[in-house]
Each structure stands twice: as structure tokens, then as C-alpha cells.
């Protein structure tokens, strides 16, 4: 068990790309942190620096209070699960799982016992003599998990471990991973670009954008108080509506003339950006805001209405029982529905 | 009645297109058959001739039919000591050829694998340059550098030894190239998983890379074994001691007698020896054939 600390850790690849800007992260013992962000934002790079597979350009990495910058991956007491499983194709499941222990020089009996234990935990006991090519995708993923578990690491690292599985299996494995991590109480870093996976798995989420950390917070914080327009539109489905507008210090007005009465306003005056989540709005005949609905999208449990508010694109999510049709409608804001961001950088105000 | 005949005619015309002679296929097969005959007929002639006595062969040339000297000829080819010093028989030559072929193949595989390993997995400064330099040696086969190689070997006093016979030939651009291509197709994540599992460079090579390369190694073995087996020029230069003669040289040695005018050349024995010389490479190819194809075509890991 160990806490992890990144102190100004930064990565510049030899070709000059700054994949990760200097970042500060503190992960307490036993926490599962999810790194999330769009493709190419540097999630894998950050994880691989923690694993020791990629050199750290600047800054210091601590695992359990020890500086790890120049420690070989094998000696960091970590375990990593890869997207493509990375199982050794010529070894049986048992050998795959035991290979790391064998290299550590553990006696055979102990290896066998640990492998059997992990296999039992993962329902792999009957497959121990098979080769990876004789397993299904989900089973291979489990073997990769097993290989990580048998090493009794202080830190689990997952790089999009579920992205090769179909949706149903992904949900199931997600729950399994979470349960396993909690049972073992091992600190974990988990990379994904799937925001649902991030929300459901994480104790805390780190949102990355173009090599920069946009926000670190619990799923609840990320959702209810996004630190920037990027986080606001990246986390949450459907994404938050972002409007341009102005503030006079008392009241915010959308470009196009509609004022948001009673929603408050930032102290900053002038041009701002205004965010409203589709689910924080209700259809209401007495509502103050005029909404022109162009399209109704059926999603089963709820419907998405796409249209215009004050001349700007706007989406509203309503329950499946509410009547919804195209044409002019009125909507009302739920309390706390409006988020303010500054106009240029998009930081929360 | 009329109905019946009509339907019969219809049925006939319906089946006719299927029976149409496919001239292009026949053409293809004719070419293939001609090619096969071109390769096989001489082999058959040698085989048939190996059952005749020397006199007939000397007078009438190679034979198509079989006679009854087969056992004699093969016995002589394998067990009768010959040469100037009477120190070498077929079995010795067979053993020498095997040592050369196997040593050559294994040497080439080891050197090629290690060179490819260095080029692909280590951040060498001039790895690409090194690779292309190795690659260009394909343009410099042994025949081109035979004099300097000979000089070096005699200077090192390795003439008339197995070492001198094998070592100068085992640097191999071909094997290096094939192993490099193969190693480059091994997924990056596998290497990283091994690193996390605590496998250093040597362990990774032995525990992971070598087993993964099995089929490739088999394919290389076949190619290199046959290549080594058929070496003629280099063994001729480097071995003067008859006990180190290979089969390919032995055949020539028998025919040599004719040029010396000493006696009737032992044609029957030579033919038998030729067949014996052909057999091991054929066996190797037949037995490893399926691996061979897999090794060169399969990229699935
Ligand atoms: N070996 C490398 N050399 C140079 N640049 C690299 C290298 N690896 C990654 N990069 C660059 O660094 C940036 C971050 O890459 P990284 O692999 O960390 O992205 P990611 O967030 O994991 O994306 P994805 O979700 O697609 O896996 C990208 O712009 C990428 O092009
Ligand atoms: Mg990635």
C-alpha cells in the first residue's frame, strides 16, 4: 500500500512534444484515481512515467514517500494492466501470472499457491493450463488482472484496460475491477477516455486536456462544479450547453438578449461564458426562458430536445413521460443550474 | 415423347458450360508439369543410373532403367574408403556435411538473432546505419571476399578445421533481416509487460523472444541448412585434409579420377553419392515444411 505523489512531473518527448506539462498530484493510500481526457492529451504518458516505462523529464515522483524517478519498473512494486492485455502468447495462463514472481526468485511452491489464489479470485482456476490464444477477450483481461494481483503491488496502473471489450462485458469488468481494488485496498491509477467509466469507478478524477490538468476532484465535484468549460463539456452526457454572454455584476445576459433572472452573476463584468446542463432545465409553461425546439431525440429513459435559446444552440433533457414536441416552448432553470466561466480561458468564475 | 427429348436436350445444354474445357488452366498446368519434369527427370536419371555398373555408364551414359548394381554402388559409396590417402568414406563425408550444414545454420541463426535483437531493442546511436551496412553485405557473398577470408583463416591456422570451415560463413545479413522484421512486429506492450515483470535484456531474449521466434527459427534453419550443405567453393579451399571432405566435394573427387586417367571413373558410385547427398536436405524440407511456411507468413502473435 502506498500513496503516490507527483511533484511538478513533466514530460517532453525527444521530438520536442511537451506531452505532460508540470503537474502536481497527490494520491492517498488506497484511492482509485481515474485519468480522463480526449485522445492524445497525455494520459498514457503520465501513467507510463509512474510505471517507469517512460523517463520523467522534470519533477519528482514519489511512491510511498520514496523517490522513484530512476528506479527500474520492476523495482517500483507496481503492476500494470495494458489495453491489449500484453499476455505472453507462448506461456500458459499460470506461467503468465507467475512470470514476475519467478523473476523475483520466489520458490515454485509459493508461486503456485499465489497463482492459484489469484485465479480463484478471478474465476480462472479451470483455465490455468490454457494459452492466451485459447481464451476469450474477457478471460484474457482477467488473466492480465491476475498477473497484476499476484505480485501484491503497492500500486495498480491501468491503461484503458477495458476498451477492447464489448459494452456489456465492459460494464461487468468495471464493477469487478472496482470490487477487487477495494477488497485489496491497493492504490490505483486508471486511464480511460470514457467519461462514464471515469464517473463510476473513481474516488477522484483527474481531467487532462492537451497535457495540462484541468481539474482534480471527486466525480460529484467534477460534475457539479466543473473548473473550466473544457471539463464542463467533456464530463457529462449530453454535454453542458455553453453560451456566450455578458455580465454587469448583478445579472447575466445571453448574447441574443435573453436575461437569466435570479440565476445570479459573477462579480466579473463584461464578456463571459455561461454553462447550463441539459438536465438542469425543466419544461415549464410558466418558465421565463423561450426555447425553440427543432429536434426531439428519443433515448428511451429520457428525451433530448435540441433547439435554440436566445439564438444560441441549446439542448434540454426531459423525462420520457413529459410531453415534448418541436416548436416554441418555455423552460425554467433548476436552482444552481447556471455556471459562469471567463470568456477567454474558460476558467470557472 | 417429344416433351422428353426436348427436356433432355435442355438438360444437356444446361450442363455443357460446366464441362467446357478450361484452356487457361490446362496451359497453367502444362507449364507447371513441364517445370516439374525439368527438375525431376535428371534426379530420376541419377537415381536409375546409381543401379548400373561403371562400364555401362561410361559407354552409354546415364540410364533410364534399373539394373542390379544398386546395393553394390551404395555400399561402395557409403563404406568404401577412397581418395589418395584412403582415409575417407561416404559415412565420414555425410557426417562432415551434416556438421557443416547444422553448424552453419545454427551459427547463422544465433548471430542473426543477436544482431537483430541489438538493432531492434537497444537505443544504439547508429542502429539504422548498422542495419543497412549489414544489409548491403548481401551484395558481397563469400565468392567476392574469398581471398581475404582465406588469408585470414590460414593466418589464424584454422585451415583443415571445422571452425575454419564454419565460422567465416555464419555472419548472415539474410537471417538478421528476417529476425529484425519479426522482432519489429512483436508488440511494444509485451516488452513493457516483461520489463515490469522484472525480465532484463537477457531474460527477455531467452524467455520471451526466442520462444516467440520458434517458427521463424525453423524457417531460417531450413534455408541455412540447405545453403550450408551445398557449399562447395569454401570447403574446397579450406580443407585439404581428406577426412574433412563433405559429400558435395566427395562426388567431384570420384569424377576426378577420370581426369587423372588412372582408371575408369566410378560412375555408379558417384551417382549413388549424389543421391545420398540430396537426401538430407530433402528430408529437412519435408519435415519442417509446415513450420517453414508458418514462419515466413504468419505475423499473428
Ligand atoms: N514516443 C513518443 N514520441 C513523441 N511523441 C509522443 C510519443 N508518445 C506519445 N507522444 C505524443 O504525446 C502526446 C500524448 O500521448 P499519449 O499517448 O499520452 O496520449 P493519450 O492521452 O494516452 O491518448 P489515447 O487516449 O489516444 O491513448 C500525443 O500528442 C502524442 O502524439
Ligand atoms: Mg493512451
Amino acid at each position: 500500500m502506498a500513496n503516490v505523489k507527483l511533484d511538478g512531473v513533466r514530460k517532453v518527448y525527444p521530438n520536442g512534444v511537451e506531452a505532460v506539462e508540470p503537474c502536481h498530484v497527490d494520491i492517498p493510500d488506497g484511492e482509485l484515481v481515474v485519468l480522463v481526457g480526449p485522445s492524445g492529451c497525455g494520459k498514457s504518458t503520465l501513467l507510463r512515467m509512474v510505471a517507469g516505462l517512460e523517463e520523467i523529464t522534470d519533477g519528482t515522483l514519489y511512491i510511498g514517500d520514496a523517490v522513484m524517478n530512476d528506479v527500474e519498473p520492476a523495482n517500483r512494486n507496481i503492476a500494470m494492466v495494458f489495453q491489449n492485455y500484453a499476455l505472453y502468447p507462448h506461456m500458459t495462463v499460470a506461467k503468465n501470472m507467475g512470470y514476475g514472481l519467478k523473476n523475483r526468485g520466489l520458490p515454485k511452491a509459493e508461486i503456485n499457491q499465489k497463482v492459484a489464489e489469484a485465479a480463484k479470485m478471478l474465476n480462472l482456476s479451470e483455465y490455468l493450463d490454457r494459452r492466451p490464444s485459447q481464451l476469450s477477450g474477457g478471460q484474457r483481461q482477467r488473466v492480465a488482472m491476475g498477473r497484476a494481483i499476484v505480485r501484491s503491488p503497492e500500486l495498480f496502473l491501468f491503461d484503458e484496460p477495458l476498451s477492447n471489450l464489448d459494452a456489456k462485458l465492459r460494464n461487468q469488468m468495471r464493477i469487478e475491477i472496482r470490487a477487487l481494488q477495494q477488497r485489496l485496498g491497493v492504490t490505483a491509477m486508471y486511464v480511460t477516455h470514457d467519461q462514464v467509466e471515469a464517473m463510476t469507478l473513481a474516488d477522484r478524477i483527474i481531467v487532462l486536456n492537451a497535457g495540462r490538468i484541468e481539474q482534480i476532484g471527486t466525480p460529484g465535484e467534477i460534475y457539479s462544479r466543473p473548473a473550466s468549460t473544457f471539463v464542463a463539456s467533456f464530463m457529462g452526457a449530453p454535454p453542458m450547453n455553453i453560451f456566450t454572454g455578458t455580465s454587469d455584476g448583478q445579472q447575466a445576459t445571453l448574447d441574443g438578449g435573453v436575461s437569466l433572472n435570479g440565476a445570479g452573476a459573477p462579480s466579473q463584468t463584461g464578456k463571459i461564458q455561461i454553462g447550463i446542463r441539459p438536465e438542469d432545465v425543466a419544461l415549464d409553461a410558466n418558465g421565463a426562458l423561450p426555447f425553440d425546439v427543432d429536434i426531439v431525440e428519443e433515448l428511451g429513459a429520457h428525451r433530448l430536445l435540441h433547439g435554440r435559446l436566445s439564438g444560441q444552440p441549446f439542448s434540454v433533457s426531459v423525462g420520457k413521460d413529459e410531453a415534448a414536441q418541436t416548436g416554441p416552448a418555455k423552460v425554467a432553470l433548476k436552482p444552481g443550474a447556471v455556471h459562469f466561466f471567463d470568456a477567454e480561458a474558460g476558467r470557472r468564475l | 415423347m417429344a416433351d422428353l427429348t426436348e427436356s433432355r436436350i435442355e438438360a444437356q445444354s444446361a450442363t455443357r458450360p460446366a464441362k467446357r474445357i478450361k484452356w487457361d488452366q490446362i496451359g497453367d498446368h502444362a507449364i507447371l508439369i513441364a517445370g516439374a519434369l525439368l527438375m525431376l527427370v535428371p534426379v530420376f536419371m541419377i537415381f536409375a543410373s546409381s543401379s548400373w555398373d561403371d562400364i555401362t555408364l561410361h559407354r552409354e551414359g546415364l540410364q533410364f532403367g534399373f539394373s542390379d548394381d544398386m546395393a553394390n554402388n551404395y555400399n561402395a559409396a557409403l563404406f568404401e574408403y577412397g581418395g589418395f590417402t584412403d582415409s575417407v568414406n561416404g559415412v565420414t563425408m555425410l557426417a562432415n556435411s551434416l556438421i557443416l550444414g547444422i553448424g552453419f545454420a545454427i551459427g547463422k541463426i544465433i548471430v542473426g538473432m543477436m544482431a537483430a535483437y541489438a538493432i531492434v531493442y537497444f537505443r544504439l546511436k547508429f542502429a539504422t546505419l548498422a542495419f543497412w551496412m549489414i544489409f548491403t553485405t548481401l551484395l558481397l557473398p563469400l565468392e567476392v571476399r574469398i581471398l581475404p577470408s582465406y588469408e585470414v583463416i590460414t593466418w589464424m591456422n584454422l585451415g583443415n578445421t571445422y571452425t575454419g570451415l564454419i565460422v567465416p560463413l555464419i555472419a548472415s545479413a539474410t537471417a538478421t533481416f528476417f529476425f529484425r522484421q519479426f522482432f519489429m512486429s512483436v508488440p511494444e506492450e509485451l516488452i513493457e509487460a516483461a520489463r515490469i515483470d522484472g525480465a532484463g535484456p537477457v531474460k527477455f531474449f531467452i524467455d520471451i523472444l526466442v520462444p516467440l521466434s520458434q517458427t521463424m527459427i525453423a524457417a531460417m534453419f531450413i534455408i541455412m541448412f540447405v545453403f550450408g550443405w551445398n557449399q562447395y567453393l569454401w570447403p574446397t579451399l579450406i580443407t585439404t585434409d581428406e577426412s574433412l571432405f563433405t559429400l558435395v566435394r566427395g562426388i567431384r573427387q570420384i569424377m576426378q579420377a577420370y581426369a587423372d586417367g588412372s582408371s575408369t571413373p566410378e560412375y555408379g558410385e558417384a551417382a549413388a553419392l549424389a543421391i545420398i547427398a540430396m537426401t538430407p536436405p530433402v528430408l529437412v524440407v519435408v519435415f519442417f515444411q509446415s513450420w517453414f511456411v508458418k514462419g515466413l507468413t504468419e505475423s499473428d502473435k
Side-chain angles (χ1 to χ4, degrees):
Chain A
M1 320 292 120
N3 57 319
V4 178
K5 188 172 166 197
L6 282 76
D7 191 5
V9 169
R10 169 170 181 256
K11 177 68 189 183
V12 180
Y13 277 112
N15 63 359
V17 176
E18 186 178 25
V20 176
E21 293 178 19
C23 65
H24 300 268
V25 179
D26 236 321
I27 307 172
D29 188 16
E31 192 173 82
L32 193 156
V33 166
V34 172
L35 295 163
V36 68
S39 186
C41 68
K43 308 179 292 285
S44 297
T45 306
L46 194 61
L47 197 76
R48 292 160 51 81
M49 282 195 288
V50 176
L53 298 172
E54 208 68 74
E55 226 166 280
I56 296 171
T57 311
D58 278 316
T60 319
L61 165 74
Y62 302 88
I63 300 178
D65 298 326
V67 177
M68 285 289 163
N69 285 42
D70 298 319
V71 178
E72 273 293 304
N75 301 331
R76 292 189 182 198
N77 209 4
I78 51 153
M80 187 152 172
V81 178
F82 296 87
Q83 178 174 356
N84 298 319
Y85 323 127
L87 300 176
Y88 311 119
H90 58 291
M91 295 188 193
T92 62
V93 168
K95 290 237 171 72
N96 259 290
M97 285 162 65
Y99 186 60
L101 300 179
K102 188 178 145 217
N103 287 339
R104 281 189 193 169
L106 256 65
K108 245 202 168 114
E110 200 178 330
I111 296 178
N112 289 342
Q113 184 218 326
K114 286 196 176 200
V115 167
E117 231 168 69
K120 201 167 151 221
M121 202 184 294
L122 293 161
N123 288 327
L124 284 171
S125 301
E126 54 194 299
Y127 304 113
L128 282 177
D129 292 326
R130 291 215 199 161
R131 298 269 180 98
S133 57
Q134 300 161 330
L135 298 175
S136 74
Q139 289 164 342
R140 285 182 213 185
Q141 190 56 57
R142 278 211 195 86
V143 177
M145 293 282 305
R147 187 167 64 177
I149 292 171
V150 291
R151 318 190 50 196
S152 331
E154 294 187 319
L155 175 63
F156 280 135
L157 301 172
F158 299 93
D159 194 349
E160 310 204 19
L162 305 183
S163 52
N164 282 355
L165 304 179
D166 66 52
K168 197 170 161 213
L169 198 54
R170 195 151 58 209
N171 285 339
Q172 183 193 332
M173 286 299 293
R174 193 169 69 206
I175 295 164
E176 274 183 41
I177 286 181
R178 182 59 171 153
L180 206 63
Q181 187 265 342
Q182 280 183 339
R183 175 138 54 106
L184 300 170
V186 177
T187 318
M189 293 175 80
Y190 188 108
V191 163
T192 178
H193 57 244
D194 178 347
Q195 49 119 350
V196 178
E197 217 167 281
M199 291 299 256
T200 50
L201 265 177
D203 289 316
R204 277 194 308 157
I205 295 176
I206 299 175
V207 185
L208 276 168
N209 179 26
R212 207 176 48 250
I213 293 184
E214 290 272 339
Q215 186 171 9
I216 304 181
T218 62
E221 284 165 7
I222 299 269
Y223 178 80
S224 56
R225 290 184 57 78
S228 65
T229 48
F230 174 81
V231 178
S233 48
F234 189 74
M235 300 299 287
M240 187 185 273
N241 299 293
I242 306 283
F243 302 93
T244 56
T246 52
S247 156
D248 59 9
Q250 320 294 311
Q251 180 170 302
T253 309
L254 303 180
D255 289 348
V258 175
S259 289
L260 301 172
N261 295 317
S267 51
Q268 181 175 328
T269 58
K271 282 193 123 3
I272 56 166
Q273 295 185 71
I274 296 159
I276 302 172
R277 288 211 183 271
E279 53 276 24
D280 288 345
V281 185
L283 285 177
D284 183 345
N286 305 319
L289 305 176
F291 177 34
D292 290 317
V293 183
D294 296 330
I295 300 167
V296 177
E297 209 178 348
E298 285 291 347
L299 293 176
H302 47 96
R303 292 198 188 97
L304 261 188
L305 315 183
H306 301 284
R308 295 187 163 267
L309 172 62
S310 194
Q312 301 187 45
F314 189 43
S315 303
V316 171
S317 171
V318 299
K320 64 178 189 307
D321 304 326
E322 281 185 74
Q325 69 260 0
T326 54
K330 294 265 186 201
V331 293
L333 299 174
K334 296 176 186 168
V338 183
H339 306 259
F340 299 107
F341 305 95
D342 78 26
E344 284 88 37
R347 306 302 306 173
R348 186 178 190 88
L349 295 173
Chain B
M1 245 349 236
D3 262 329
L4 253 177
T5 37
E6 231 175 66
S7 68
R8 192 176 297 155
I9 288 167
E10 250 174 42
Q12 268 179 6
S13 62
T15 52
R16 196 161 290 156
K19 282 190 178 170
R20 192 184 293 149
I21 300 168
K22 292 182 179 146
W23 284 109
D24 50 343
Q25 272 196 15
I26 289 183
D28 290 349
H29 279 85
I31 292 172
L32 288 174
I33 290 167
L37 285 179
L38 201 66
M39 307 286 244
L40 291 176
V41 167
V43 175
F44 175 77
M45 280 174 78
I46 291 281
F47 184 57
S49 302
S50 71
S51 67
W52 289 80
D53 59 307
D54 301 335
I55 312 286
T56 318
L57 287 172
H58 189 50
R59 278 210 208 106
E60 298 169 19
L62 292 175
Q63 301 292 317
F64 269 106
F66 287 89
S67 175
D68 41 13
D69 271 346
M70 179 91 78
N72 263 347
N73 281 333
Y74 279 89
N75 194 36
L78 279 173
F79 303 111
E80 202 166 90
Y81 284 88
F84 293 116
T85 54
D86 271 356
S87 64
V88 60
N89 66 5
V91 176
T92 329
M93 289 193 285
L94 191 66
N96 285 337
S97 279
L98 278 176
I99 290 172
L100 178 62
I102 292 174
F104 183 80
I106 291 178
K108 279 206 174 212
I109 287 170
I110 291 176
V111 171
M113 268 188 104
M114 300 220 289
Y117 186 47
I119 289 170
V120 175
Y121 289 105
F122 294 87
R123 280 188 205 128
L124 302 176
K125 262 245 165 69
F126 301 108
T128 322
L129 181 72
F131 172 72
W132 286 110
M133 277 173 62
I134 293 173
F135 200 67
T136 46
T137 60
L138 279 178
L139 302 174
L140 298 172
L142 179 74
E143 287 73 11
V144 177
R145 56 184 166 88
I146 197 146
L147 282 179
S149 296
Y150 179 75
E151 286 277 301
V152 170
I153 290 302
T154 42
W155 175 74
M156 290 171 78
N157 262 331
L158 287 174
N160 281 324
T161 61
Y162 289 122
T163 319
L165 208 52
I166 294 170
V167 171
L169 300 180
I170 63 176
S172 170
T174 324
T176 308
F177 175 74
F178 275 106
F179 281 116
R180 171 184 179 262
Q181 298 309 98
F182 178 78
F183 290 168
M184 291 205 309
S185 73
V186 173
E188 191 79 11
E189 289 187 338
L190 213 56
I191 298 144
E192 298 179 339
R195 269 185 80 190
I196 291 179
D197 269 343
V202 177
K203 265 196 186 142
F204 176 69
F205 186 68
I206 293 171
D207 286 352
I208 314 252
L209 222 42
V210 171
L212 281 184
S213 314
Q214 265 176 8
T215 50
M216 197 64 182
I217 292 174
M220 282 295 119
F221 184 84
I222 298 175
I223 297 178
M224 297 306 173
F225 176 81
V226 174
F227 193 52
W229 183 272
N230 289 335
Q231 283 296 317
Y232 177 70
L233 187 56
W234 182 249
T236 309
L237 264 185
I238 215 72
T239 55
T240 47
D241 180 347
E242 289 188 332
S243 66
L244 286 174
F245 275 16
T246 60
L247 273 178
V248 183
R249 279 205 66 187
I251 300 167
R252 197 191 89 101
Q253 206 64 26
I254 289 170
M255 306 298 281
Q256 184 97 32
Y258 180 56
D260 299 345
S262 51
S263 60
T264 315
E266 288 152 336
Y267 283 119
E269 197 184 327
L273 211 53
I275 293 296
I276 293 169
M278 258 181 260
T279 313
V282 169
L283 289 182
V284 166
V285 172
V286 168
F287 280 121
F288 285 96
Q289 188 191 33
S290 63
W291 285 44
F292 178 79
V293 176
K294 250 198 209 160
L296 291 185
T297 56
E298 196 180 63
S299 60
D300 171 49
K301 248 134 263 118

